[in-house]
Amino acid sequence: MTIRVVVADDQELVRSGFAMILDVQEDIEVVAEVGDGAAAVAAVRSLAPDVALLDVRMPVLDGIEACRSISATSSCRTVMLTTFDSDEYVYEALHAGASGFLLKDVRRDDLVHAVRVVAAGESLLAPSVARRLIAQYTAATARPAAGEALSAERLEVLTARERETLLHLGRGLSNAELAAELMVSEHTVKSHVGNVLSKLGLRDRIQAVICAYETGLVAAGSRVSPSGE
């Protein structure tokens, strides 16, 4: 199956460079190159691509707002691109619905890999990376107790095992580590993770990590060892 991609960046050389790298892949087709966020949203709406690469800083509509609009109105998955190595941009992009985040000096192979991973329904950031970023910002923006209680009610739709799965996702465990922690097969873990995402209306594991922190299921700064102990 061919992965259809929209590339959005206000710098023509960057935009065309990324497009050329992707378009020569047998399984990837760049269906549009655009120079601003509004054009990216319009391209996604008319062409229904699988993945949109969005520069964070663009005219008319910035990448974060374009990502938010695309995530809310389509099944297209988004990867944010920036020259700014800032945790704040990562956090804002994840909240807007992004499934990945890349710096513009990304290697050719890593760019291609990122598009394939996101198109396959996975998140680009390793859970441990997402955990560190989200822990930092949720700690800095702690909610009042009443707000936390209200947010925690969201988890009532989960079974005890699904809640445990979300807890370990929030702590950054991989599927293999989850399988060892829960003493089940990786196939069963994938089923649990899928149920968690479906019941909570989450797009991917990154949003599950955010949910685990924002509902108070995982405390900011929590750490686990690679074995999950």
Side-chain angles (χ1 to χ4, degrees):
M1 185 182 84
T2 300
I3 302 169
R4 292 161 52 82
V5 179
V6 166
V7 179
D9 194 298
D10 61 336
Q11 297 179 357
E12 183 178 358
L13 288 178
V14 173
R15 183 172 72 241
S16 61
F18 282 143
M20 284 189 292
I21 290 170
L22 295 173
D23 217 25
V24 296
Q25 308 301 316
E26 292 184 357
D27 59 335
I28 298 175
E29 177 189 4
V30 175
V31 296
E33 298 177 42
V34 297
D36 64 72
V41 173
V44 168
R45 185 179 297 118
S46 63
L47 299 172
D50 302 296
V51 177
L53 299 183
L54 304 174
D55 184 20
V56 169
R57 293 191 175 185
M58 291 188 289
V60 185
L61 189 70
D62 67 37
I64 302 296
E65 291 305 316
C67 174
R68 185 171 289 111
S69 178
I70 290 170
S71 298
T73 59
S74 76
S75 60
C76 177
R77 298 171 66 80
T78 55
V79 176
M80 306 306 297
L81 300 165
T82 184
T83 55
F84 304 96
D85 189 4
S86 166
D87 285 356
E88 180 180 359
Y89 287 116
V90 178
Y91 186 71
E92 290 180 4
L94 298 182
H95 262 290
S99 294
F101 190 95
L102 292 174
L103 297 181
K104 288 186 180 179
D105 61 359
V106 62
R107 297 188 308 165
R108 177 189 302 261
D109 290 346
D110 288 341
L111 174 66
V112 174
H113 175 70
V115 169
R116 289 172 177 155
V117 166
V118 170
E122 299 295 331
S123 52
L124 183 64
L125 295 179
S128 59
V129 175
R131 180 191 64 212
R132 288 196 300 271
L133 293 171
I134 295 162
Q136 175 183 347
Y137 280 91
T138 51
T141 58
R143 302 179 179 190
E148 290 175 357
L150 179 63
S151 183
E153 292 176 2
R154 185 180 182 189
L155 303 184
E156 292 178 359
V157 298
L158 302 180
T159 65
R161 180 47 62 97
E162 290 164 354
R163 189 182 180 97
E164 186 177 5
T165 299
L166 178 60
L167 170 66
H168 292 310
L169 284 175
R171 289 175 171 171
L173 270 65
S174 66
N175 280 356
E177 292 166 342
L178 265 167
E181 181 71 25
L182 301 178
M183 294 184 289
V184 297
S185 68
E186 286 193 48
H187 177 76
T188 299
V189 165
K190 290 180 181 179
S191 178
H192 289 327
V193 172
N195 288 340
V196 169
L197 299 182
S198 176
K199 287 185 177 182
L200 296 178
L202 305 173
R203 291 172 64 93
D204 51 37
R205 294 172 69 105
I206 289 180
Q207 290 199 340
V209 174
I210 293 173
C211 180
Y213 276 97
E214 292 192 334
T215 58
L217 185 63
V218 176
S222 295
R223 292 290 186 272
V224 293
S225 69
S227 63
E229 297 175 348

